[in-house]
Amino acid sequence: MKAVVAIVNQKGGVGKSTTAINLAAYLAGKGERVLVVDMDPQANATSGLGVSAEGGCMYDVLIEGRSLQEVARSTRVERLEVAPSTINLVGAEVELVSSLAREYKLKKALQKLPQEAYDRVLVDCPPSLDLLTLNALAAADEVLIPIQCEYYALEGLTQLMQSIRMVREELNPGLRIGGVLLTMFDPRTNLSRQVVEEVRSFFGDSVFRTIIPRNVRLSEAPSFGLPIALYAPKSTGAEAYEAVAEEVLSRG
């Protein structure tokens, strides 16, 4: 695999699932075999890709030891599959507490995948720095951080960076910042522009050149179980995520 990417921010509503769904769809559309691993008990990436968890979910992988390939479900996008989530993942976190090597359950599941199965894995994390997120960070090659262009956007960012440093020291020395993605940008407000400036000054070249705008079509697409590439391919949100996919491919 080229990379296992954890999409992380402990703040909710910043566009993690939207990014996982749409970035994965465009990468698959450009020829990559992509697996979305839904580690969020809210299961937004699962429902947003129009998939059910009838044949098994990430709870079964983390707790019962089932393989990712067993639970992975195909989507309406060719070459894109999702390992679904359910509310059962809330229980998984409790059960993992007493488990041996509890932070490495996802990593071990990914290591069991055949090398040719996928080119890239995107892990959609819950909006917290809990055991499920730690599993994602311990398994990932890199982190993608969506940041909302709104007030309080940078709040908690210091804590997130400290958590990433801790994971590097204790669990995953090779973990790197793969990119910072600015989301929900409103060009009409000074605040959005200020957040962009602050994030770029803080993260430098790690920030994607493409900024995701506020877009009604992006908000509507998950309710139809479709990525924006299929729901509204000519919308500004679609164009933005396609450009992000191009940037990801150019970064390797």
Side-chain angles (χ1 to χ4, degrees), residues 72-184:
R73 293 288 170 267
S74 58
T75 68
R76 294 190 223 184
V77 179
E78 193 178 350
R79 293 182 294 275
L80 173 57
E81 295 184 355
V82 57
S85 169
T86 65
I87 194 66
N88 291 346
L89 268 183
V90 172
E93 190 182 357
V94 176
E95 293 178 56
L96 282 171
V97 169
S98 58
S99 180
L100 193 66
R102 60 191 182 183
E103 296 93 350
Y104 292 108
K105 296 294 185 184
L106 178 59
K107 183 173 185 175
K108 288 178 179 175
L110 288 166
Q111 286 172 339
K112 291 176 184 174
L113 285 171
Q115 279 193 324
E116 71 282 358
Y118 303 102
D119 295 308
R120 200 180 303 260
V121 176
L122 303 184
V123 186
D124 186 27
C125 297
S128 59
L129 297 173
D130 57 12
L131 256 178
L132 296 173
T133 301
L134 278 180
N135 260 269
L137 292 174
D141 299 303
E142 60 186 57
V143 174
L144 193 162
I145 306 171
I147 297 179
Q148 190 177 6
C149 295
E150 292 198 353
Y151 195 59
Y152 295 134
L154 304 181
E155 187 187 65
L157 212 53
T158 303
Q159 185 186 355
L160 175 59
M161 298 311 293
Q162 286 173 345
S163 298
I164 291 171
R165 278 195 292 273
M166 179 198 74
V167 169
R168 279 189 191 129
E169 290 170 9
E170 304 292 337
L171 303 172
N172 184 1
L175 184 65
R176 63 184 183 274
I177 305 293
V180 176
L181 181 64
L182 291 155
T183 64
M184 304 182 192

Side-chain angles (χ1 to χ4, degrees), residues 223-245:
S223 64
F224 292 89
L226 292 170
I228 195 69
L230 296 183
Y231 178 69
K234 296 191 183 303
S235 64
T236 56
E239 290 169 357
Y241 271 111
E242 184 171 18
V244 173

Side-chain angles (χ1 to χ4, degrees), residues 2 30 41 101 135-136 159 165 188 198 220 239:
K2 291 178 182 174
K30 294 177 187 300
N135 260 269
Q159 185 186 355
R165 278 195 292 273
R188 298 169 298 179
E198 287 185 45
E220 291 173 348
E239 290 169 357

